[in-house]
Amino acid sequence: MLKMTDEALAAAEEEARTTPLEDFDVSRAERFAADVHRPFFARLRREAPVHLCRESEFGPYWSISSYEQIMKVDTDHRRFSSLGGISLGERNPQFNPRSFISEDAPVHPKWRKPAMPAVGPDRLGDLEALMRRRIAAVMDELPIGEEFNWVERVSIEITTQMLATLFDFPWEERHKLPYWSDVVTSNPGMGNNSLDEMERRRILLECLSAFQGLWAARKDGPPAMDFISLMAQHPDTKDFGDDPFTLLGNLMLLIVGGNDTTRNSISGGVWALNRHPEQYDRLTADPSLIPNMVSEIIRWQTPLAYMRRTALEDVEIGGRTIREGDKVIMWYVSGNRDEAKFEEADDFDIARKNARNHISFGYGVHRCMGNRVAEMQLRLVWEEILKRFSRVEVVGAPVRVMSNFVLGYEELPVVLHR
Ligand code: HEM
């Protein structure tokens, strides 16, 4: 199976070398699903770090592929707006729930702030012991010496438990959270057409109704640190209760934000260490490398390939002129492999000195809110793995997600060794 992957990669390298730059369209989901996207970005970084694709299924868009230029766009929120949405596709005007990731100031900070304490530094101490116990319980149930899908039994389960905790969601119904999240990301705007639009809306309205019930029960309840209580009781967000679309949009953002990203980092770490067995040996010899390895996993995996902005005025950048209204895609997946920033950038190096400088969490005012929870979660996962298993061995090729936005795994077959 690995041979097939190598052949596909060689074909992609040839295609990336011979295709004229003006015909480059790096948004094609099937290249990410086959893990052959990198040669295209490598050429863009070398020859056209600010590049206009004139024609694609999402219309024209600019690709920003170098670390340096991505930082310029991400920190320039006055000229590069989030209001047009954060994915390549256009938003559907008839079904367009608002959320703070797709807002600019003054709405963005006003809606972001109330939810922050649920994932802030003060909360992490309380969450750590609880999450460790839950992660340990999931791991204690796993079979030794028998093949199973790591994504389903470990990555999804642990991420779901964390989300249910952050929302204080009814425990027995927690599996609805990743289900709803998958429905949101089964989105043609992200290169995935797997769900009929009407069916998608029906499921999301079901989700809305569940959250409306929790919101009503908590808005006048005692203060609490879960996302729902925090927002329902805060003067700046409490009116979401009267505005179903805004309620749905913001709560879905908090679910989706933490779901695929953390899940795919948990799976990505196992895959990375199997691709680089010398790093696995290094880790078992020195577990104090775990915190740095967590950053390296998040860099190497880059769970979200990009974020989009829309230019509010004409902007000169990298010798090109982006016009007002143009779509601008910051390809984090490329910036994280930029040799000008990361030495031997395609290597997975758990002791990499500047691993923490990755841009997988974005950078400017929209920088990921859940980054510390995600890092803590990954640290705990690896601490608990090392206590129990000498190796998590990948025994077959991973099946990847069909998306140009979420970079991750549907299946990762493994066998555990004591
Ligand atoms: C924003 C990545 C985990 C909630 C973002 C952004 C990225 C990102 C790229 C956009 C940044 C920008 O536009 O500049 C990740 C990755 C994660 C992760 C790679 C895990 C490895 C989480 C978790 C949560 C979360 C665990 C919460 C449960 C959010 C929210 C936003 C966000 C609410 C919007 C922030 C804003 O617009 O101000 N994340 N995320 N994320 N993330 Fe995460």
Side-chain angles (χ1 to χ4, degrees), residues 39-61:
F40 297 90
F41 285 108
R43 181 151 173 226
L44 282 190
R45 284 195 304 274
R46 270 195 318 272
E47 297 178 31
V50 178
H51 169 267
L52 177 63
C53 171
R54 291 179 194 281
E55 254 184 60
S56 80
E57 68 175 293
F58 310 104
Y61 66 91

PDB file of all heavy atoms in Angstrom, residues 39-61:
ATOM      1  N   PRO A  39       3.713  18.783  -3.208  1.00  0.00           N
ATOM      2  CA  PRO A  39       4.563  19.311  -4.290  1.00  0.00           C
ATOM      3  C   PRO A  39       3.998  20.594  -4.918  1.00  0.00           C
ATOM      4  O   PRO A  39       4.760  21.474  -5.324  1.00  0.00           O
ATOM      5  CB  PRO A  39       4.566  18.178  -5.322  1.00  0.00           C
ATOM      6  CG  PRO A  39       4.164  16.957  -4.577  1.00  0.00           C
ATOM      7  CD  PRO A  39       3.317  17.386  -3.441  1.00  0.00           C
ATOM      8  N   PHE A  40       2.673  20.715  -4.952  1.00  0.00           N
ATOM      9  CA  PHE A  40       2.064  21.903  -5.552  1.00  0.00           C
ATOM     10  C   PHE A  40       2.353  23.137  -4.684  1.00  0.00           C
ATOM     11  O   PHE A  40       2.686  24.203  -5.184  1.00  0.00           O
ATOM     12  CB  PHE A  40       0.548  21.697  -5.730  1.00  0.00           C
ATOM     13  CG  PHE A  40       0.246  20.558  -6.674  1.00  0.00           C
ATOM     14  CD1 PHE A  40       0.102  19.254  -6.202  1.00  0.00           C
ATOM     15  CD2 PHE A  40       0.150  20.786  -8.031  1.00  0.00           C
ATOM     16  CE1 PHE A  40      -0.140  18.206  -7.062  1.00  0.00           C
ATOM     17  CE2 PHE A  40      -0.098  19.745  -8.907  1.00  0.00           C
ATOM     18  CZ  PHE A  40      -0.241  18.450  -8.420  1.00  0.00           C
ATOM     19  N   PHE A  41       2.232  22.945  -3.381  1.00  0.00           N
ATOM     20  CA  PHE A  41       2.511  24.080  -2.486  1.00  0.00           C
ATOM     21  C   PHE A  41       4.008  24.422  -2.483  1.00  0.00           C
ATOM     22  O   PHE A  41       4.380  25.593  -2.394  1.00  0.00           O
ATOM     23  CB  PHE A  41       2.027  23.762  -1.069  1.00  0.00           C
ATOM     24  CG  PHE A  41       0.534  23.835  -0.944  1.00  0.00           C
ATOM     25  CD1 PHE A  41      -0.227  22.685  -0.806  1.00  0.00           C
ATOM     26  CD2 PHE A  41      -0.117  25.058  -0.999  1.00  0.00           C
ATOM     27  CE1 PHE A  41      -1.611  22.756  -0.711  1.00  0.00           C
ATOM     28  CE2 PHE A  41      -1.502  25.138  -0.901  1.00  0.00           C
ATOM     29  CZ  PHE A  41      -2.251  23.980  -0.757  1.00  0.00           C
ATOM     30  N   ALA A  42       4.864  23.392  -2.580  1.00  0.00           N
ATOM     31  CA  ALA A  42       6.310  23.653  -2.578  1.00  0.00           C
ATOM     32  C   ALA A  42       6.657  24.566  -3.761  1.00  0.00           C
ATOM     33  O   ALA A  42       7.426  25.516  -3.635  1.00  0.00           O
ATOM     34  CB  ALA A  42       7.084  22.339  -2.644  1.00  0.00           C
ATOM     35  N   ARG A  43       6.040  24.277  -4.909  1.00  0.00           N
ATOM     36  CA  ARG A  43       6.350  25.114  -6.085  1.00  0.00           C
ATOM     37  C   ARG A  43       5.781  26.533  -5.903  1.00  0.00           C
ATOM     38  O   ARG A  43       6.437  27.522  -6.244  1.00  0.00           O
ATOM     39  CB  ARG A  43       5.795  24.466  -7.358  1.00  0.00           C
ATOM     40  CG  ARG A  43       6.118  25.301  -8.550  1.00  0.00           C
ATOM     41  CD  ARG A  43       6.270  24.551  -9.834  1.00  0.00           C
ATOM     42  NE  ARG A  43       6.407  25.513 -10.916  1.00  0.00           N
ATOM     43  CZ  ARG A  43       5.755  25.459 -12.064  1.00  0.00           C
ATOM     44  NH1 ARG A  43       4.945  24.443 -12.315  1.00  0.00           N
ATOM     45  NH2 ARG A  43       5.934  26.390 -12.979  1.00  0.00           N
ATOM     46  N   LEU A  44       4.582  26.625  -5.358  1.00  0.00           N
ATOM     47  CA  LEU A  44       4.023  27.974  -5.121  1.00  0.00           C
ATOM     48  C   LEU A  44       4.936  28.772  -4.182  1.00  0.00           C
ATOM     49  O   LEU A  44       5.217  29.944  -4.437  1.00  0.00           O
ATOM     50  CB  LEU A  44       2.623  27.887  -4.504  1.00  0.00           C
ATOM     51  CG  LEU A  44       1.446  27.569  -5.419  1.00  0.00           C
ATOM     52  CD1 LEU A  44       0.132  27.769  -4.664  1.00  0.00           C
ATOM     53  CD2 LEU A  44       1.451  28.442  -6.674  1.00  0.00           C
ATOM     54  N   ARG A  45       5.395  28.135  -3.102  1.00  0.00           N
ATOM     55  CA  ARG A  45       6.259  28.874  -2.157  1.00  0.00           C
ATOM     56  C   ARG A  45       7.526  29.379  -2.847  1.00  0.00           C
ATOM     57  O   ARG A  45       7.953  30.501  -2.617  1.00  0.00           O
ATOM     58  CB  ARG A  45       6.655  27.981  -0.968  1.00  0.00           C
ATOM     59  CG  ARG A  45       5.567  27.771   0.052  1.00  0.00           C
ATOM     60  CD  ARG A  45       6.134  27.191   1.343  1.00  0.00           C
ATOM     61  NE  ARG A  45       6.863  25.956   1.175  1.00  0.00           N
ATOM     62  CZ  ARG A  45       6.308  24.730   1.157  1.00  0.00           C
ATOM     63  NH1 ARG A  45       5.017  24.606   1.320  1.00  0.00           N
ATOM     64  NH2 ARG A  45       7.059  23.661   1.012  1.00  0.00           N
ATOM     65  N   ARG A  46       8.085  28.523  -3.699  1.00  0.00           N
ATOM     66  CA  ARG A  46       9.332  28.896  -4.391  1.00  0.00           C
ATOM     67  C   ARG A  46       9.111  29.986  -5.431  1.00  0.00           C
ATOM     68  O   ARG A  46       9.868  30.933  -5.524  1.00  0.00           O
ATOM     69  CB  ARG A  46       9.888  27.671  -5.126  1.00  0.00           C
ATOM     70  CG  ARG A  46      10.844  26.829  -4.319  1.00  0.00           C
ATOM     71  CD  ARG A  46      11.626  25.863  -5.201  1.00  0.00           C
ATOM     72  NE  ARG A  46      10.853  25.204  -6.239  1.00  0.00           N
ATOM     73  CZ  ARG A  46      10.184  24.048  -6.067  1.00  0.00           C
ATOM     74  NH1 ARG A  46      10.185  23.460  -4.892  1.00  0.00           N
ATOM     75  NH2 ARG A  46       9.515  23.506  -7.071  1.00  0.00           N
ATOM     76  N   GLU A  47       8.038  29.856  -6.210  1.00  0.00           N
ATOM     77  CA  GLU A  47       7.925  30.699  -7.401  1.00  0.00           C
ATOM     78  C   GLU A  47       6.816  31.750  -7.332  1.00  0.00           C
ATOM     79  O   GLU A  47       6.873  32.745  -8.048  1.00  0.00           O
ATOM     80  CB  GLU A  47       7.685  29.816  -8.639  1.00  0.00           C
ATOM     81  CG  GLU A  47       8.852  28.888  -8.900  1.00  0.00           C
ATOM     82  CD  GLU A  47       8.598  27.982 -10.090  1.00  0.00           C
ATOM     83  OE1 GLU A  47       7.885  28.393 -11.018  1.00  0.00           O
ATOM     84  OE2 GLU A  47       9.116  26.847 -10.077  1.00  0.00           O
ATOM     85  N   ALA A  48       5.806  31.511  -6.501  1.00  0.00           N
ATOM     86  CA  ALA A  48       4.676  32.465  -6.480  1.00  0.00           C
ATOM     87  C   ALA A  48       3.964  32.403  -5.130  1.00  0.00           C
ATOM     88  O   ALA A  48       2.827  31.927  -5.048  1.00  0.00           O
ATOM     89  CB  ALA A  48       3.701  32.127  -7.605  1.00  0.00           C
ATOM     90  N   PRO A  49       4.625  32.894  -4.060  1.00  0.00           N
ATOM     91  CA  PRO A  49       4.012  32.782  -2.719  1.00  0.00           C
ATOM     92  C   PRO A  49       2.701  33.559  -2.577  1.00  0.00           C
ATOM     93  O   PRO A  49       1.938  33.303  -1.657  1.00  0.00           O
ATOM     94  CB  PRO A  49       5.087  33.301  -1.766  1.00  0.00           C
ATOM     95  CG  PRO A  49       6.112  33.956  -2.612  1.00  0.00           C
ATOM     96  CD  PRO A  49       5.984  33.447  -4.013  1.00  0.00           C
ATOM     97  N   VAL A  50       2.478  34.491  -3.484  1.00  0.00           N
ATOM     98  CA  VAL A  50       1.152  35.136  -3.569  1.00  0.00           C
ATOM     99  C   VAL A  50       0.670  34.855  -4.995  1.00  0.00           C
ATOM    100  O   VAL A  50       1.224  35.380  -5.958  1.00  0.00           O
ATOM    101  CB  VAL A  50       1.245  36.652  -3.303  1.00  0.00           C
ATOM    102  CG1 VAL A  50      -0.121  37.314  -3.440  1.00  0.00           C
ATOM    103  CG2 VAL A  50       1.842  36.918  -1.914  1.00  0.00           C
ATOM    104  N   HIS A  51      -0.325  33.989  -5.132  1.00  0.00           N
ATOM    105  CA  HIS A  51      -0.673  33.452  -6.456  1.00  0.00           C
ATOM    106  C   HIS A  51      -2.179  33.561  -6.699  1.00  0.00           C
ATOM    107  O   HIS A  51      -2.978  33.263  -5.811  1.00  0.00           O
ATOM    108  CB  HIS A  51      -0.253  31.974  -6.502  1.00  0.00           C
ATOM    109  CG  HIS A  51      -0.768  31.223  -7.692  1.00  0.00           C
ATOM    110  ND1 HIS A  51      -1.949  30.504  -7.681  1.00  0.00           N
ATOM    111  CD2 HIS A  51      -0.250  31.077  -8.934  1.00  0.00           C
ATOM    112  CE1 HIS A  51      -2.133  29.948  -8.866  1.00  0.00           C
ATOM    113  NE2 HIS A  51      -1.122  30.269  -9.649  1.00  0.00           N
ATOM    114  N   LEU A  52      -2.539  33.972  -7.901  1.00  0.00           N
ATOM    115  CA  LEU A  52      -3.967  34.050  -8.228  1.00  0.00           C
ATOM    116  C   LEU A  52      -4.383  32.848  -9.064  1.00  0.00           C
ATOM    117  O   LEU A  52      -3.829  32.606 -10.134  1.00  0.00           O
ATOM    118  CB  LEU A  52      -4.245  35.343  -9.019  1.00  0.00           C
ATOM    119  CG  LEU A  52      -5.697  35.514  -9.484  1.00  0.00           C
ATOM    120  CD1 LEU A  52      -6.664  35.615  -8.297  1.00  0.00           C
ATOM    121  CD2 LEU A  52      -5.839  36.758 -10.374  1.00  0.00           C
ATOM    122  N   CYS A  53      -5.372  32.096  -8.544  1.00  0.00           N
ATOM    123  CA  CYS A  53      -6.008  31.044  -9.343  1.00  0.00           C
ATOM    124  C   CYS A  53      -7.249  31.696  -9.943  1.00  0.00           C
ATOM    125  O   CYS A  53      -8.152  32.114  -9.216  1.00  0.00           O
ATOM    126  CB  CYS A  53      -6.380  29.859  -8.440  1.00  0.00           C
ATOM    127  SG  CYS A  53      -7.389  28.647  -9.283  1.00  0.00           S
ATOM    128  N   ARG A  54      -7.282  31.782 -11.266  1.00  0.00           N
ATOM    129  CA  ARG A  54      -8.382  32.527 -11.902  1.00  0.00           C
ATOM    130  C   ARG A  54      -9.666  31.718 -12.004  1.00  0.00           C
ATOM    131  O   ARG A  54     -10.748  32.272 -12.050  1.00  0.00           O
ATOM    132  CB  ARG A  54      -7.969  32.990 -13.307  1.00  0.00           C
ATOM    133  CG  ARG A  54      -6.904  34.055 -13.251  1.00  0.00           C
ATOM    134  CD  ARG A  54      -6.458  34.529 -14.628  1.00  0.00           C
ATOM    135  NE  ARG A  54      -5.228  35.283 -14.484  1.00  0.00           N
ATOM    136  CZ  ARG A  54      -5.171  36.540 -14.083  1.00  0.00           C
ATOM    137  NH1 ARG A  54      -6.279  37.201 -13.838  1.00  0.00           N
ATOM    138  NH2 ARG A  54      -4.010  37.145 -13.939  1.00  0.00           N
ATOM    139  N   GLU A  55      -9.523  30.396 -12.049  1.00  0.00           N
ATOM    140  CA  GLU A  55     -10.708  29.552 -12.257  1.00  0.00           C
ATOM    141  C   GLU A  55     -10.644  28.339 -11.365  1.00  0.00           C
ATOM    142  O   GLU A  55      -9.651  27.603 -11.385  1.00  0.00           O
ATOM    143  CB  GLU A  55     -10.685  29.045 -13.708  1.00  0.00           C
ATOM    144  CG  GLU A  55     -11.687  29.727 -14.602  1.00  0.00           C
ATOM    145  CD  GLU A  55     -11.658  29.097 -15.977  1.00  0.00           C
ATOM    146  OE1 GLU A  55     -11.915  27.875 -16.068  1.00  0.00           O
ATOM    147  OE2 GLU A  55     -11.330  29.833 -16.920  1.00  0.00           O
ATOM    148  N   SER A  56     -11.701  28.129 -10.594  1.00  0.00           N
ATOM    149  CA  SER A  56     -11.773  26.897  -9.789  1.00  0.00           C
ATOM    150  C   SER A  56     -13.246  26.660  -9.507  1.00  0.00           C
ATOM    151  O   SER A  56     -14.081  27.531  -9.808  1.00  0.00           O
ATOM    152  CB  SER A  56     -11.028  27.068  -8.460  1.00  0.00           C
ATOM    153  OG  SER A  56     -11.828  27.774  -7.524  1.00  0.00           O
ATOM    154  N   GLU A  57     -13.568  25.540  -8.891  1.00  0.00           N
ATOM    155  CA  GLU A  57     -14.996  25.326  -8.595  1.00  0.00           C
ATOM    156  C   GLU A  57     -15.508  26.342  -7.582  1.00  0.00           C
ATOM    157  O   GLU A  57     -16.707  26.482  -7.378  1.00  0.00           O
ATOM    158  CB  GLU A  57     -15.258  23.886  -8.130  1.00  0.00           C
ATOM    159  CG  GLU A  57     -14.670  23.537  -6.794  1.00  0.00           C
ATOM    160  CD  GLU A  57     -15.050  22.141  -6.322  1.00  0.00           C
ATOM    161  OE1 GLU A  57     -16.252  21.925  -6.045  1.00  0.00           O
ATOM    162  OE2 GLU A  57     -14.145  21.302  -6.197  1.00  0.00           O
ATOM    163  N   PHE A  58     -14.593  27.061  -6.929  1.00  0.00           N
ATOM    164  CA  PHE A  58     -15.001  28.090  -5.955  1.00  0.00           C
ATOM    165  C   PHE A  58     -14.833  29.499  -6.527  1.00  0.00           C
ATOM    166  O   PHE A  58     -14.850  30.477  -5.788  1.00  0.00           O
ATOM    167  CB  PHE A  58     -14.163  27.959  -4.682  1.00  0.00           C
ATOM    168  CG  PHE A  58     -14.128  26.550  -4.150  1.00  0.00           C
ATOM    169  CD1 PHE A  58     -12.990  25.762  -4.333  1.00  0.00           C
ATOM    170  CD2 PHE A  58     -15.210  26.007  -3.502  1.00  0.00           C
ATOM    171  CE1 PHE A  58     -12.960  24.456  -3.868  1.00  0.00           C
ATOM    172  CE2 PHE A  58     -15.189  24.713  -3.034  1.00  0.00           C
ATOM    173  CZ  PHE A  58     -14.057  23.928  -3.227  1.00  0.00           C
ATOM    174  N   GLY A  59     -14.592  29.590  -7.838  1.00  0.00           N
ATOM    175  CA  GLY A  59     -14.322  30.893  -8.445  1.00  0.00           C
ATOM    176  C   GLY A  59     -12.860  31.259  -8.234  1.00  0.00           C
ATOM    177  O   GLY A  59     -12.063  30.451  -7.749  1.00  0.00           O
ATOM    178  N   PRO A  60     -12.500  32.515  -8.596  1.00  0.00           N
ATOM    179  CA  PRO A  60     -11.106  32.918  -8.439  1.00  0.00           C
ATOM    180  C   PRO A  60     -10.722  33.093  -6.969  1.00  0.00           C
ATOM    181  O   PRO A  60     -11.568  33.474  -6.156  1.00  0.00           O
ATOM    182  CB  PRO A  60     -11.028  34.272  -9.164  1.00  0.00           C
ATOM    183  CG  PRO A  60     -12.433  34.696  -9.397  1.00  0.00           C
ATOM    184  CD  PRO A  60     -13.350  33.542  -9.184  1.00  0.00           C
ATOM    185  N   TYR A  61      -9.474  32.807  -6.649  1.00  0.00           N
ATOM    186  CA  TYR A  61      -9.005  33.037  -5.262  1.00  0.00           C
ATOM    187  C   TYR A  61      -7.481  33.204  -5.267  1.00  0.00           C
ATOM    188  O   TYR A  61      -6.791  32.684  -6.142  1.00  0.00           O
ATOM    189  CB  TYR A  61      -9.415  31.867  -4.344  1.00  0.00           C
ATOM    190  CG  TYR A  61      -8.739  30.549  -4.668  1.00  0.00           C
ATOM    191  CD1 TYR A  61      -7.547  30.187  -4.058  1.00  0.00           C
ATOM    192  CD2 TYR A  61      -9.278  29.674  -5.606  1.00  0.00           C
ATOM    193  CE1 TYR A  61      -6.905  28.993  -4.369  1.00  0.00           C
ATOM    194  CE2 TYR A  61      -8.659  28.480  -5.925  1.00  0.00           C
ATOM    195  CZ  TYR A  61      -7.465  28.151  -5.301  1.00  0.00           C
ATOM    196  OH  TYR A  61      -6.839  26.976  -5.627  1.00  0.00           O
TER     197      TYR A  61
END
